Amino acid sequence: MSTTTATAIPQVHVPTHPGPGKYVFIGVILAVLTGLEIVTSYADIGDNLMILLLLGMAIVKFVIVAAYFMHLRFDIPLFRKLFIMGIAGALGLYAILLASLHAF
Amino acid sequence: MSTSTLAVDGADIHDSHDSHPTNTGVSNVKVMMWVFLSSECLLFGALISTYLLYRGRVVEGPTPHEIYDIPFTSVSSFVLLMSSLTMVLALSALQRRDERRFRIWMVTTAAFGMVFIGGQIYEFTSFMREGLAPSTNVFGSSFYLLTGLHGAHVTGGIIWLLSLVGLSLKGIITPEKAEAVEISGLYWHFVDVVWIVIFTVVYLLPTGTSV
């Protein structure tokens, strides 16, 4: 009788991606958001509200592309962590830059 | 007696091209691409930060408000956004083993990218004519560096996409090699999300705003 011992390895991740119809639907949402951004930039609503709305819409578009087109929603959590680390690093860099210029 | 089995999570492991077990369960190339994109976030974050710091400090030369053509840039932004859609449709087609449709969507994506670059070139030349050069003021130098570097990334992406189309015509990129296309798609979508941020921060935010 011989035995074989194999080292346990992680499961192979096989993500389930959306179909073409869903991608087109997401594309339409992104197009609508882009249109809203442009309209907002011309609106007479005051700078503070405009900044809030524009940045908010940009963030929503960013998240939609990252989640559905880049498949972050369907892939392993490691990819999400790596991407968020990069974004956090960029925001931290900006904060450090502002602090170094005594902007606070 | 002890054995261990390779869990496949409901799919045949041999569906992937030449996969062998990795520590993460996905290919190392894909992990590498995400690490690269994470570092690119830092690069573009630094450049966007620099632009935001300098945009309200123009002493001489054209200001953003005077020079931007929002409708024109909106159209090219929309084109780049739609190229993300065609890119993901290309990948979807290849995964469904429709190689002809895959090539059509890939060429469409590259064409949209070329339209975007054409728009950038037109914008840069018109800004130069109106007196904004990289050396004119700090706004000009930070603007051209940020958008120029992004344009270089788009150009590199176009070359990559067209290379994949050529490899597909030669029979080298097959449905079994869909991950190679997925990885190029990650790069392309990243270039698009960076432009989403640039378009909002550089073109749409009120002039003189520090965020």
Coordinates of all heavy atoms in Angstrom, one line a residue, chain A residues 8-16, chain B residues 4-16 19 21 25-26:
Chain A
A8 N -2.3 20.8 0.4 CA -3.6 21.4 0.1 C -3.3 22.8 -0.5 O -2.4 23.5 -0.1 CB -4.4 21.6 1.4
I9 N -4.0 23.1 -1.6 CA -3.8 24.3 -2.3 C -5.1 25.1 -2.4 O -6.2 24.4 -2.2 CB -3.2 24.1 -3.7 CG1 -4.2 23.2 -4.5 CG2 -1.9 23.6 -3.7 CD1 -3.8 23.1 -6.0
P10 N -5.1 26.4 -2.5 CA -6.4 27.1 -2.5 C -7.2 26.7 -3.7 O -6.7 26.2 -4.7 CB -5.9 28.5 -2.7 CG -4.5 28.6 -2.3 CD -4.0 27.2 -2.6
Q11 N -8.5 26.8 -3.6 CA -9.4 26.5 -4.7 C -9.1 27.5 -5.8 O -8.8 28.6 -5.6 CB -10.9 26.8 -4.2 CG -11.4 25.8 -3.2 CD -12.8 26.0 -2.9 OE1 -13.5 26.8 -3.6 NE2 -13.4 25.3 -1.9
V12 N -9.2 27.0 -7.0 CA -9.1 27.8 -8.2 C -10.3 28.7 -8.3 O -11.5 28.2 -8.3 CB -8.9 27.0 -9.5 CG1 -8.9 27.9 -10.7 CG2 -7.6 26.2 -9.4
H13 N -10.1 30.0 -8.4 CA -11.3 30.9 -8.4 C -11.8 31.0 -9.8 O -11.0 31.4 -10.7 CB -10.9 32.3 -7.9 CG -12.0 33.3 -7.9 ND1 -13.0 33.3 -7.1 CD2 -12.2 34.3 -8.8 CE1 -13.8 34.3 -7.4 NE2 -13.3 34.9 -8.4
V14 N -13.0 30.7 -10.1 CA -13.6 30.9 -11.4 C -14.8 31.9 -11.3 O -15.9 31.5 -10.9 CB -14.1 29.5 -11.9 CG1 -14.7 29.7 -13.3 CG2 -13.0 28.5 -12.0
P15 N -14.5 33.1 -11.6 CA -15.5 34.1 -11.4 C -16.7 34.0 -12.4 O -16.5 33.5 -13.5 CB -14.8 35.5 -11.5 CG -13.6 35.1 -12.4 CD -13.3 33.7 -12.1
T16 N -17.8 34.5 -12.0 CA -19.0 34.5 -12.9 C -19.2 36.0 -13.3 O -19.5 36.9 -12.5 CB -20.3 34.1 -12.2 OG1 -20.0 32.8 -11.6 CG2 -21.4 33.9 -13.2
Chain B
S4 N -4.9 14.7 -0.1 CA -5.7 16.0 -0.2 C -6.1 16.1 -1.7 O -5.4 15.6 -2.6 CB -4.9 17.1 0.3 OG -3.7 17.3 -0.5
T5 N -7.2 16.7 -1.9 CA -7.7 16.8 -3.3 C -7.7 18.3 -3.7 O -7.7 19.2 -2.8 CB -9.1 16.3 -3.4 OG1 -9.9 17.0 -2.4 CG2 -9.1 14.8 -3.2
L6 N -7.5 18.5 -4.9 CA -7.6 19.9 -5.4 C -9.0 20.3 -5.6 O -9.8 19.7 -6.4 CB -6.8 19.9 -6.8 CG -6.9 21.3 -7.5 CD1 -6.2 22.3 -6.7 CD2 -6.2 21.1 -8.9
A7 N -9.5 21.2 -4.9 CA -10.9 21.7 -5.0 C -11.0 22.6 -6.2 O -10.1 23.4 -6.4 CB -11.3 22.4 -3.8
V8 N -12.0 22.4 -7.0 CA -12.1 23.1 -8.3 C -13.2 24.2 -8.3 O -13.4 24.9 -9.2 CB -12.3 22.1 -9.4 CG1 -12.4 22.8 -10.8 CG2 -11.1 21.2 -9.4
D9 N -14.0 24.2 -7.2 CA -15.0 25.2 -7.1 C -16.0 25.1 -8.3 O -16.5 26.1 -8.8 CB -14.4 26.6 -7.1 CG -15.4 27.7 -6.7 OD1 -16.4 27.3 -6.0 OD2 -15.2 28.9 -7.1
G10 N -16.3 23.9 -8.6 CA -17.4 23.6 -9.6 C -17.0 23.8 -11.0 O -17.8 23.8 -11.9
A11 N -15.7 23.9 -11.3 CA -15.3 24.1 -12.7 C -14.1 23.2 -13.0 O -13.3 23.0 -12.1 CB -15.0 25.5 -13.0
D12 N -13.9 22.9 -14.2 CA -12.8 22.1 -14.6 C -11.5 22.9 -14.6 O -11.5 23.9 -15.3 CB -13.0 21.5 -16.0 CG -11.8 20.6 -16.4 OD1 -10.9 20.4 -15.7 OD2 -11.9 20.1 -17.5
I13 N -10.5 22.6 -13.8 CA -9.4 23.4 -13.7 C -8.7 23.6 -15.1 O -8.0 24.6 -15.4 CB -8.4 22.9 -12.7 CG1 -7.2 23.8 -12.4 CG2 -7.8 21.5 -13.1 CD1 -6.3 23.4 -11.3
H14 N -8.8 22.6 -15.9 CA -8.2 22.6 -17.2 C -8.9 23.5 -18.2 O -8.5 23.7 -19.3 CB -8.0 21.2 -17.8 CG -7.2 20.4 -16.9 ND1 -5.8 20.6 -16.7 CD2 -7.5 19.3 -16.1 CE1 -5.3 19.7 -15.8 NE2 -6.3 18.9 -15.5
D15 N -9.9 24.3 -17.7 CA -10.5 25.3 -18.5 C -9.5 26.4 -18.8 O -9.5 27.0 -19.8 CB -11.7 25.9 -17.8 CG -13.0 25.1 -18.1 OD1 -12.9 24.3 -19.0 OD2 -14.0 25.4 -17.5
S16 N -8.7 26.8 -17.8 CA -7.7 27.8 -18.0 C -6.5 27.3 -18.8 O -6.3 26.1 -18.9 CB -7.2 28.3 -16.6 OG -6.8 27.3 -15.8
S19 N -2.7 26.5 -16.6 CA -2.7 26.9 -15.2 C -2.0 25.8 -14.4 O -2.2 24.6 -14.6 CB -4.1 27.2 -14.7 OG -4.9 26.0 -14.8
P21 N -1.2 25.3 -10.0 CA -1.7 25.9 -8.7 C -0.9 27.1 -8.3 O 0.4 27.1 -8.4 CB -1.6 24.8 -7.7 CG -1.6 23.6 -8.5 CD -1.0 23.9 -9.8
G25 N -4.9 31.2 -5.9 CA -6.0 30.6 -6.7 C -6.3 31.3 -8.0 O -7.1 30.9 -8.7
V26 N -5.5 32.4 -8.3 CA -5.6 33.0 -9.6 C -4.2 33.2 -10.1 O -3.2 33.0 -9.4 CB -6.3 34.4 -9.5 CG1 -7.8 34.3 -9.1 CG2 -5.6 35.3 -8.5

